């Protein structure tokens, strides 16, 4: 079990993440420098380096917050995203939630992809892969669940998502993701 975070450390962490999000939203990725974040958060630059290691570590934490929330919902949340619903319903709910996460964090995700991978990135990818594979195996035992699951997930990582969001077609994208997953779930 991880040690309990001190109250002042938790406040600093929250202030740093909130300042980073505000700078990013207002001024774009270029504004997210350690100096600017420290000034906006009211902490020393060393506090940020100590806590996050680097700008890449800070960006990872920004992405990780949404990912951890989604992971908790998948593992312990209410159905259909969480346990207790049929596999097909859970898969549809997961891809809707993941597509919304990507859409909501699009600019951050694009910048994050341009920095060296964070050590915990693989942990998230493995969680998603295992979750999708298990649901596909249950819903469609006739498929190569791992390969099909990876192909479904890769659809959210490509250029289509940013292109459609920038064109004002986020709702169309969400409908397309739903249709794509439903097509995979249909038995031959």
């Amino acid at each position: 079990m991880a040690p309990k975070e001190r109250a002042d450390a938790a406040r600093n962490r929250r202030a740093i993440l909130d300042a980073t999000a505000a700078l990013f939203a207002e001024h774009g990725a270029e504004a997210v420098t350690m100096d600017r974040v420290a000034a906006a958060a009211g902490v020393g630059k060393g506090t940020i380096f100590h806590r996050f290691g680097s700008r890449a570590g800070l960006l990872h934490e920004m992405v990780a917050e949404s990912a951890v929330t989604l992971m908790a919902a998948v593992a312990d949340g209410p159905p259909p995203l969480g346990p207790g619903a049929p596999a097909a319903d859970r898969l549809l709910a997961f891809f809707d939630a993941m597509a919304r996460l990507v859409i909501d964090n699009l600019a951050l995700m694009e910048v994050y992809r341009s920095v060296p991978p964070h050590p915990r990135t693989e942990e998230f990818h493995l969680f998603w892969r295992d979750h999708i594979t298990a649901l596909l195996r249950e819903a469609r035992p006739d498929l190569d669940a791992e390969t099909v699951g990876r192909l479904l997930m890769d659809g959210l990582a490509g250029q289509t998502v940013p292109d459609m969001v920038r064109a004002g077609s986020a709702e169309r994208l969400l409908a397309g993701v739903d249709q794509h997953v439903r097509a995979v779930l249909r038995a031959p």
Side-chain angles (χ1 to χ4, degrees):
M1 185 156 108
K4 186 169 173 13
E5 187 176 39
R6 291 185 341 253
D8 62 326
R11 275 191 309 275
N12 284 345
R13 177 183 178 281
R14 185 76 262 148
I16 292 165
L17 293 174
D18 290 346
T20 303
L23 285 168
F24 197 90
E26 190 172 339
H27 303 290
E30 301 77 34
V32 180
T33 67
M34 298 305 234
D35 288 323
R36 284 184 169 169
V37 171
V43 300
K45 192 163 79 168
T47 299
I48 300 173
F49 279 106
H50 176 73
R51 182 67 189 235
F52 300 102
S54 65
R55 181 176 185 262
L58 178 57
L59 291 173
H60 169 79
E61 191 63 27
M62 296 293 296
V63 172
E65 276 201 318
S66 297
V68 167
T69 299
L70 181 54
M71 287 170 79
V74 162
D76 300 314
L81 192 55
D89 293 346
R90 291 193 73 199
L91 200 61
L92 288 163
F94 169 77
F95 274 100
D96 180 71
M98 180 58 80
R100 290 176 190 279
L101 184 149
V102 172
I103 290 166
D104 292 346
N105 294 286
L106 187 60
L108 178 61
M109 299 286 252
E110 287 180 311
V111 172
Y112 178 67
R113 286 186 190 119
S114 71
V115 298
H118 190 276
R120 282 190 64 204
T121 300
E122 188 62 23
E123 172 188 335
F124 293 129
H125 290 240
L126 287 173
F127 182 89
W128 305 136
R129 189 179 313 153
D130 290 348
H131 178 63
I132 295 164
T133 299
L135 292 176
L136 276 172
R137 278 191 181 126
E138 185 178 334
R140 287 287 310 273
D142 58 310
L143 294 178
D144 177 348
E146 184 178 350
T147 300
V148 172
R150 291 179 77 172
L151 289 167
L152 284 171
M153 192 65 169
D154 286 351
L156 294 175
Q159 193 58 41
T160 301
V161 174
D163 288 350
M164 290 188 76
V165 170
R166 286 193 187 97
S169 300
E171 290 303 316
R172 188 170 163 216
L173 174 68
L174 290 168
V177 168
D178 183 77
Q179 292 166 357
H180 190 186
V181 176
R182 285 181 190 280
V184 167
L185 289 170
R186 270 189 225 110

